[in-house]
Structure formats: C-alpha cells, structure tokens
Amino acid sequence: MAEPSSARTNRNVIFLVIVASLGYFVDIYDLLIFSIVRKASLLGIGVKPADVLSDGLSIINWQMFGLLLGGVLWGVLGDKLGRIKVLFGSILLYSIANFANGFVHDVNLYIIVRFIAGVGLAGELGAGITLVTETMSKEKRGYGTMIVAVVGLFGAAAANLVAKHGLPFHFSADHANWRDAYFVGGCLGIILLLLRLGTFESGMFKSMEQKEVSKGNFFTLFTSWGRFKKYIYCILIGAPLWYVVGVLVTLSPEFGKALGAKDVLSAGDGIYYTYLGIALGGLFAGLISQITKSRKLTMFIFLTASAISVVVYLTAKGLNSEQFIWICLFMGTCVGYWTTFITIAAEQFGTNIRATVTTTVPNFVRGSLIPINLIFVALAKGYGMINAAYIMMGALTLISLFAVSQLKESFGKDLNYLEEN
C-alpha cells in the first residue's frame, strides 16, 4: 500500500527541520570555537601574553569581516541558484577551513584561515531558516525555527567540551586540545554535508525559479526607501545579542579583573553556559511568539530582559566562578531571541530576495562586532571597561527597541509573494 502523500510530506518536513538544526549546531560550533580556544591557541603558536587580547580581537574582526562578505555572496546565490546549493557550498568551505585551522603556526595564517571560515559560515543559518520558513505552514513555522534554535545552540557546548577536555585520541601531532577542536569542527561539517544529500528544495523557490523576475539582487534592498528601512531595522534588532556574546562573555577574563573577581573567569565556560541559556531562551522565545502570536512583543520582552541581565553582570563585584556561570546562563536566556529575530527578517521580504535578506542580516549583525569592538575599546580607554560596557549596552538596547517598533507584525504572514523591482 502506497504511503499517503501528506505523511510523506510531513516526514520530509521533519527531516528538513532536523538537518537544519544540526546545521546550526555545526555553525555555532565553528563560529565560536576561536572565542573558546583564543588564549590557548594564541599562546600555543607563540604569541606573547601581552599581545593575546589585541591579536585575538584582530582575528575575531577578520572572521566577522568574512561573515559580512560571505553573507552577501551566499545570500545572493541562495536566491539565484537555490537554498540547497548554498548549504552545500558553505558547508564544504568552512569544513576545509577548519581542517586548515588545526595546522596554523602564526597569527597571519590564523587570520587568513578564520577569514575563509567566516565566509563559509555565512551561508549556513540564513539558508536553513529560509528553507524552514518557506516549507512549514505559516501558523507553525515558529515551532520549526524554535527547534533549530534549541538544537543548534548546543554546538557551543560541544565546542567547549572538546576544547577543554579533549578527546580519547588526538588528531594533532602535538596533542593540543585546541587543534583537535578545529579538526572535530571539520569532521562535523563533512558529516552534515552527507546528511544534506537527503534534503529537498523550497517549493516557493521552485515556483519562483522560472519566473521572469529579479532574483537575489542585493541592490534591490537600496532602491526602495521602505525596503531599505526594513532591512536596516532587521539588522539593528540583533546587535545587543552579539555584543553580549562577542564582548561581555568573550572578554570575561578581562571583565573579571575589572570586577575584582575572586577567581580567573573562563571565557570558554562563559560561552558554554551562555549558549545553554540561549538554547533555553530560544525555546521560550519560540513558545512566547506562538502563544502571543506576536514576534514584536517577544522581541520587546527579550530586549528589556537582556539589558537587565547585563546590569546584573556588571554590578557583580567580587564574583566567583560559580556565580559567573549562573550569570552567563541568565544572560544567555535573556538574549535567546536569535532565531526569532532571523525569522522576523525572513518574514519581512518576498521570495526572490528572502535568502539574500535572511543570510545577510545575521551576518551583518555578527559583523557589527567590528565597530562594536572598536567603539568599546575607545570608550574603555576613557571611561574604563565597566562604564564602557554600560554605555554600549544602553545604546544598543535603545536602538534595537526603536527598530522593533518600526517593523510590522509578521506572525502568520503569507510568504508566497515577490518583491517588485
């Protein structure tokens, strides 16, 4: 007896969500592995302790620059060639880059390889979220992106465990855990590439593919004032999250000194527990948006909560390692709106430009860490790390709240439409 088409379709959708979730798992693993092994890897290749902070920030900035360029590249290709092709190309590139990262022995090569990895990483999440939002029903797609968020963000936990505790065996000749962590990232990418062989293309893209319409034209976002404003607002609402992860947690050893911490704070542990919190927050954000049927209300709640959590962190004078872990878990939960905000971006634009938007927006947010880092360092020189952190979070939160207020509610919106040129 033949299997009902509805059952086969549901099974395919479930498989797509699972593979997208695992893709985000690998994406987060590879994206954050440098932040976790920053000190160990730089000291391991001979960087002087006094230069670890400056060289580390330089490498992060180049990785983020790669994400910026890759976001545009893969986004445009996603609308022109299809979402699946982008997933294959991006996975292959960042897998190769991670294998190469396990062999670096100087800062310049480190920068080059992380830049290439950044370009590759840029395509994974946007294409995955685009596929999920275009494939699932408009009433339930929030659940799909919620699952992607929860499963995917445990990639940070895996990265920390591998970097911290190593493996029963070693890939690297010098048995360095940080090198093995990069090799594992490359292996995970190849496994994901094989899983992706069973996925299928978005029906919305297929129906649009043969139409005489501009596809993946990045500059279309700048030819209409209305589209341009929506695009900028979508980018701005995600900036506080990446500031929390990229500055407040990544630089936790330095913040610990400024706060008079009783122990040396571990950035790896901080990222681990922050992302456990983000996974939990992603679950809450998805449920809240589905229950309230409002993406905007969900964002207002989480942006306000994230500002409160940062105040808790920056007032924790003399904290110890255990208190730091709980604070990171709290901050992570409060900024767990990552996939909700990307879903908002996907829901704001038509099918012929959706992959471009959904891929570039999160990567431009990640790339915003470059000016955020520069501004933060400048403020820290004049006002100290703690005051600079307050100023940055306050400004980013206010900007994000304004951006959310300017966007239209997109819950339940029909996505099967095209953008006019």
Side-chain angles (χ1 to χ4, degrees), residues 63 78 81 178 226 235 240 313 362 399:
Q63 175 177 294
L81 304 179
W178 69 267
I235 294 171
Y313 177 45
I399 291 171

Side-chain angles (χ1 to χ4, degrees), residues 322-370:
E322 184 177 352
Q323 292 169 328
F324 171 66
I325 285 171
W326 283 106
I327 290 173
C328 286
L329 186 66
F330 178 48
M331 283 199 299
T333 303
C334 292
V335 296
Y337 55 81
W338 183 243
T339 53
T340 298
F341 121 81
I342 299 172
T343 303
I344 290 173
E347 293 172 336
Q348 297 291 324
F349 296 86
T351 305
N352 56 323
I353 198 69
R354 186 170 297 126
T356 299
V357 170
T358 312
T359 305
T360 56
V361 162
N363 289 305
F364 279 12
V365 170
R366 290 164 170 170
S368 70
L369 191 58
I370 297 174

Side-chain angles (χ1 to χ4, degrees), residues 21 51 64 66 114 130 140 148 171 178 187 196 226 249 258 350 366 401 414:
S21 301
D51 296 328
M64 295 306 165
R114 288 321 293 167
T130 302
K140 295 182 179 180
V148 172
F171 289 101
W178 69 267
C187 291
R196 279 274 155 77
V249 179
R366 290 164 170 170
L401 287 170
D414 184 3

Side-chain angles (χ1 to χ4, degrees), residues 193-212:
L193 194 63
L194 297 176
L195 283 174
R196 279 274 155 77
L197 293 174
T199 54
F200 57 95
E201 186 56 86
S202 158
M204 290 186 189
F205 174 80
K206 285 183 176 180
S207 65
M208 178 268 295
E209 192 173 12
Q210 303 303 322
K211 293 181 179 179
E212 293 296 327

